[in-house]
Amino acid sequence: MMLHIPAVLTKPQVQEFRHRLAQAEWVDGRATAGAQSMQVKRNRQLPELSPLAQELGAFITQALANHPLFFAAVLPLRILPPYFNSYAGGEHYGMHIDGAIRMRPGTANAMRADVSSTLFLSEPEEYDGGELIVSDAYGTHEVKLAAGDLIVYPASSVHRVAPVTRGERVAAFLWSQSMVRDDAKRGMLFELDQNIQKLRAAHGDDEIAVDLTGHYHNLLRMWAEV
């Protein structure tokens, strides 16, 4: 399941992020790539343990924790602190699949990466290229969102970032371990949740809404790992 989540950050928050990131020292993005990804990754990143990365990452994590659509779609059990990257001058990231197990920076704590997320920090008109291109059973999807918007997609997807031929593409990216590891089951729960919300908005907590809510929680009880 791919989902566009708008306005995770406000425009003033994005501007503050960009101002601070413009003064940061970036390093070769291959520092955090696996053996296969290293061959196709050409970008820059903030050092993962830099104070700025940790501060801005904590802000994003809190914003996501408070976002009901993100919670409904991802059902996060753990969220890895966000990373920050930049692409310019033809930089790109070739076809790859995100690693299944991620280590929390600076610790020996591991988590399973079920869901990938990219938070765009550059407006689409600021750069050419730079689309996130995700391939799955339903085809190929190109994503280029407004600054402050987030895309979530299965970490098991094959994806790439197209070369940036003008301007600069700045983004944050992160992984979540979901309480429900199977993407199809997460998608079913999300659709059921969203339809329950529509039903409640139209008719209140009538007998049908209560019954469907019970089915939602019983499926979650059956599938969740906590």
Side-chain angles (χ1 to χ4, degrees):
M1 180 181 68
M2 293 186 66
L3 182 68
H4 172 195
I5 302 179
V8 170
L9 296 182
T10 65
K11 296 302 183 185
Q13 288 169 342
V14 169
Q15 291 175 0
E16 175 65 18
F17 271 50
R18 291 294 301 279
H19 174 71
R20 299 188 65 186
L21 289 170
Q23 304 172 56
E25 293 187 11
W26 300 81
V27 299
D28 191 329
R30 287 174 290 186
T32 58
Q36 185 182 57
S37 297
M38 188 180 296
Q39 307 304 313
V40 295
K41 187 176 186 181
R42 299 293 182 273
N43 68 1
R44 289 154 293 136
Q45 289 181 195
L46 283 192
E48 57 186 353
L49 294 178
S50 74
L52 180 60
Q54 293 184 53
E55 179 188 349
L56 298 185
F59 190 95
I60 292 171
T61 301
Q62 188 60 51
L64 292 174
N66 294 332
H67 203 297
L69 193 57
F70 178 83
F71 183 87
V74 176
L75 295 171
L77 179 63
R78 300 181 181 90
I79 301 175
L80 194 70
Y83 295 80
F84 297 84
N85 60 20
S86 173
Y87 295 80
E91 290 176 321
H92 63 282
Y93 199 163
M95 293 295 256
H96 65 284
I97 296 177
D98 294 334
I101 305 298
R102 312 295 305 192
M103 304 301 297
R104 198 171 187 89
T107 76
N109 299 325
M111 59 168 268
R112 191 181 65 244
D114 297 319
V115 182
S116 298
S117 302
T118 297
L119 176 63
F120 289 78
L121 297 174
S122 298
E123 297 292 359
E125 62 271 16
E126 293 182 46
Y127 60 99
D128 292 335
E131 295 85 359
L132 173 66
I133 302 172
V134 181
S135 299
D136 59 23
Y138 301 100
T140 299
H141 316 277
E142 294 190 4
V143 183
K144 190 172 183 178
L145 303 180
D149 288 9
L150 183 88
I151 187 75
V152 299
Y153 54 99
S156 56
S157 301
V158 177
H159 57 280
R160 66 186 178 92
V161 176
V164 173
T165 57
R166 179 189 64 85
E168 182 183 21
R169 176 196 191 269
V170 181
F173 62 101
L174 60 121
W175 292 278
S176 303
Q177 178 174 333
S178 177
M179 290 182 281
V180 177
R181 73 166 70 192
D182 184 81
D183 180 60
K185 291 176 180 176
R186 280 199 312 276
M188 291 170 61
L189 286 168
F190 177 70
E191 289 185 16
L192 179 57
D193 173 80
Q194 296 303 291
N195 281 298
I196 290 170
Q197 301 308 319
K198 292 175 185 176
L199 187 63
R200 294 181 66 198
H203 303 288
D205 285 318
D206 61 10
E207 183 178 351
I208 296 174
V210 172
D211 187 47
L212 289 175
T213 300
H215 283 297
Y216 173 89
H217 284 286
N218 286 333
L219 286 172
L220 187 58
R221 212 182 322 272
M222 185 185 303
W223 292 337
E225 304 169 17
V226 295

